[in-house]
Amino acid sequence: MLVILALVLLSTGASTMIYEVVLIREFTVILGSSFYSSAIVLSSVMLGLSMGAYIFGKYSERCNPIKVLFLLEISIATISIFVVPLGRLVDYFDWDLAVFFSFLIPLIPATLMGGEIPIAIKIASNRMGVGESSGICYSLDTLGGIAGSLMAGFLLIPWLGSLKTVLVAGTLNLIGALSVLTLNRFEFSLKIPKRFVMASILTLAVIGFAYLISDAIDFSTQAEIYEGFHILNLTHTRYQTIVIAYHPILGRCLFLDGSLQISDIGNAPYSESIVLPALMTLLSHKKPVDVLIIGGGDLGVAEVLTRFPKRYIRSITLVELDTKVIELSKKYLKEINKECWKDDRLSIVFMDCRMFLKEAIRDGRKFDLVIVDLPDPKDDLSATMYSLEFYNMIYDVLSDGGMMVTQATSADYALGYKDYAIIVKTLKASKFKIVRPYRKYVPSFGMWGFVVASKRYDPLNVSKCAIDQIIGNVSVQTYDSDVHFAVFMLPPWLEKAINSSDVNTVDRPTLLS
């Protein structure tokens, strides 16, 4: 009996933690912070477990524990089909309602999961004392939870994505339900009711069908994001969901966790704008230069750099966390990157950019130009890459007279400029002597913000002749010496917003407030 009961508890403990990890990931994307999502999901699950333990523990003496445990496992297995689609609907509500439903969605399965422990204790107490059976049941459930959380974070979500991962959790509950039937038959010598067998078969069929159509469910639950796009590839990794899609106007596009990163039509104004103002300033004073790109997995920034001959650009190091972004960009985004990865000056390093910077500082490695081409700060982790501490780390890996430039989100009066103002103010509070914000219109983004920060060279103190001479034999579409100075002209309302903004730090992420 104990072996079968152990299987039930291990499987249900694992499924509980899989639900938690998946929902924390889903709500982090929706709510914009793992602080919020973790607090909401953990509190909801803990409340549900306590409610379930109280409710079912109170009535465990009055019911058939085998029957109740089976119904609990079958019910949780069935609920697994709906958890992720319901969770994604939260994105359609205002903030207050989004928080409320984010709390409500985990509560129901957690309440059912909480009822399993007192019922399992009741069954185990037929063979041993209540104290011993309680200790064993809680220990097994906890061990299952440890295994489930590790599997979800390191294996299931990267390989399968959120929806399929939750269906795996539902399958574990179904295994628990079948184990209960086995316990009923061989331990208590009771005949298994046919309706229980049919319920198990039906649940297995529904979960299997949901697994088969999970990609279609993925698309339908995110239909608003990709409306008007033809999906060419959807890949789930341990870090994010990557979508390559085609649009009749924008061309091929890259989405990360539902946010548009680059498009064929928007590539030239974006990639040339983030590279050329800083690069022209630097090359007018020193050459050749060593360049570090942080992010830039679509390879658009790298392609702009490889247009320049070796007498200007000596080396290009690109640091990207997710290998799949590079892999898919090479395959699908050739109009953007022009197969620039074949240039022998480009080396791609796959690791966390903060770890790379720390190692570079430790080893005394220096770069002349650092280009930060990361996704927008949507959550607390990404906000750290726009923090005062992060910018000061970049300062420390720059050579004397080195410069950095970062994309800085929307700087559009209609579409928003709050985050842009904070990023500029944060850089002005950093070690950099010169900070110059600028804007450029990018199709599908609107007026987009960038910031140059420099140890010595001011992009406004460069001669037009120097710029024209450097880019004379380089193919550019959206930049020249006149554009160089025009983009730095900010309107008064934006200057005022920058001056009144707060600084974003790791401990105080004002970008998320």
Side-chain angles (χ1 to χ4, degrees), residues 154-197:
F154 288 93
L155 296 175
L156 296 176
I157 293 176
W159 288 353
L160 303 177
S162 295
L163 180 56
K164 289 181 180 178
T165 295
V166 171
L167 293 176
V168 170
T171 303
L172 289 174
N173 289 117
L174 182 59
I175 291 173
L178 295 175
S179 300
V180 171
L181 294 184
T182 304
L183 186 67
N184 185 65
R185 178 68 180 86
F186 294 103
E187 180 64 25
F188 297 101
S189 301
L190 297 176
K191 186 177 180 180
I192 301 174
K194 289 184 179 181
R195 63 181 183 277
F196 282 14
V197 176

Side-chain angles (χ1 to χ4, degrees), residues 74-206:
I74 280 291
S75 299
I76 299 168
T78 305
I79 289 173
S80 69
I81 302 168
F82 306 100
V83 167
V84 171
L86 286 175
R88 289 177 179 171
L89 289 177
V90 169
D91 200 21
Y92 293 92
F93 296 105
D94 293 333
W95 172 258
D96 292 338
L97 282 176
V99 170
F100 172 75
F101 284 111
S102 297
F103 184 87
L104 186 62
I105 288 170
L107 187 62
I108 298 173
T111 301
L112 298 178
M113 292 170 182
E116 293 173 325
I117 293 294
I119 299 299
I121 292 173
K122 169 64 177 175
I123 296 172
S125 63
N126 292 327
R127 287 286 189 93
M128 61 188 76
V130 174
E132 185 180 3
S133 62
S134 298
I136 290 175
C137 289
Y138 276 111
S139 296
L140 290 171
D141 187 72
T142 301
L143 288 174
I146 293 171
S149 60
L150 292 174
M151 283 177 12
F154 288 93
L155 296 175
L156 296 176
I157 293 176
W159 288 353
L160 303 177
S162 295
L163 180 56
K164 289 181 180 178
T165 295
V166 171
L167 293 176
V168 170
T171 303
L172 289 174
N173 289 117
L174 182 59
I175 291 173
L178 295 175
S179 300
V180 171
L181 294 184
T182 304
L183 186 67
N184 185 65
R185 178 68 180 86
F186 294 103
E187 180 64 25
F188 297 101
S189 301
L190 297 176
K191 186 177 180 180
I192 301 174
K194 289 184 179 181
R195 63 181 183 277
F196 282 14
V197 176
M198 293 301 299
S200 301
I201 295 173
L202 180 61
T203 303
L204 177 62
V206 172

